[in-house]
Amino acid sequence: MDRLVLENVYYKYKNAKKDVLCGVNAVFPEGTLTAICGRSGAGKSTLLYLLSGLDVPNQGQILYNGEPLKKSMLDDYRRTEAATIAQSYLLFPTRTALENVMYPMEIAKIPKKEAEKKAQEYLSVVGIDRELFHRLPNKLSGGEQQRVAIARCLAADSKIIAADEPTGNLDEENADAVLALLQELAHKHGKTVIVVTHDTFLAQQCDSQYRLRNGVLELLQ
């Protein structure tokens, strides 16, 4: 199934003179990893925000599992269907790695002991050693923080994962590890993973690659 579909999407910021997105069309099937490339300021992050449910298009529509995504649906969509991995990770600074991963399960009213056990499993899956579970984010490396952010997405059990420059702040070793995790989320766990990136190597490893230029999205592979 095509989990997310963009149909003739236009978007313009308030008081802006021109559209950032001009008639964008794209298909993001479930179980795939897709890259969106383009120059800085091309509108890539804006497109990711729309896919994440942070806003809706001015014109056109986004279909989720065949149904138009409306503004009244966005809160539920973000809470249960779509997760965002920001370039700055957006971990809670006063919560440990373990507590950050437990957070989505707390919101879902999962009992604390069960949430803690699952959070430990998710952290192990993304390669975080047990000795790091109780460290605050500022005591973790960039690569470790990125992995914790991915583990939190796993804990939320979101079907859509939208990542903004997921390897942008990482060295080659950590970037390769994060790429492998994103591929596993898509191909093994059936997630729809969409990444905005300047990383040519990462983009080439994706199942599909789009380029955004002058507000128009072009399928490259």
Side-chain angles (χ1 to χ4, degrees), residues 72-174:
S72 60
M73 302 164 57
L74 295 186
D75 286 345
D76 286 341
Y77 176 76
R78 290 194 301 268
R79 184 169 58 251
T80 63
E81 306 297 328
T84 304
I85 303 173
Q87 190 172 3
S88 56
Y89 317 128
L90 294 182
L91 298 177
F92 296 112
T94 58
R95 288 175 177 251
T96 65
L98 184 65
E99 290 168 341
N100 265 280
V101 179
M102 288 174 64
Y103 180 74
M105 293 181 282
E106 291 176 11
I107 298 299
K109 307 297 184 184
I110 293 174
K112 184 175 180 179
K113 286 187 176 180
E114 182 182 350
E116 183 173 355
K117 181 180 179 181
K118 287 186 175 181
Q120 290 173 343
E121 292 173 356
Y122 292 135
L123 285 167
S124 295
V125 165
V126 301
I128 296 295
D129 295 332
R130 295 187 68 87
E131 64 186 34
L132 303 179
F133 286 6
H134 299 288
R135 289 192 185 180
L136 294 174
N138 67 355
K139 299 299 182 182
L140 300 173
S141 70
E144 289 163 350
Q145 290 184 58
Q146 187 69 292
R147 294 185 198 193
V148 172
I150 292 173
R152 188 168 60 183
C153 285
L154 288 174
D157 198 26
S158 301
K159 297 177 179 65
I160 297 164
I161 297 175
D164 192 357
E165 297 288 357
T167 60
N169 298 323
L170 306 181
D171 59 30
E172 184 176 348
E173 181 179 355
N174 279 307

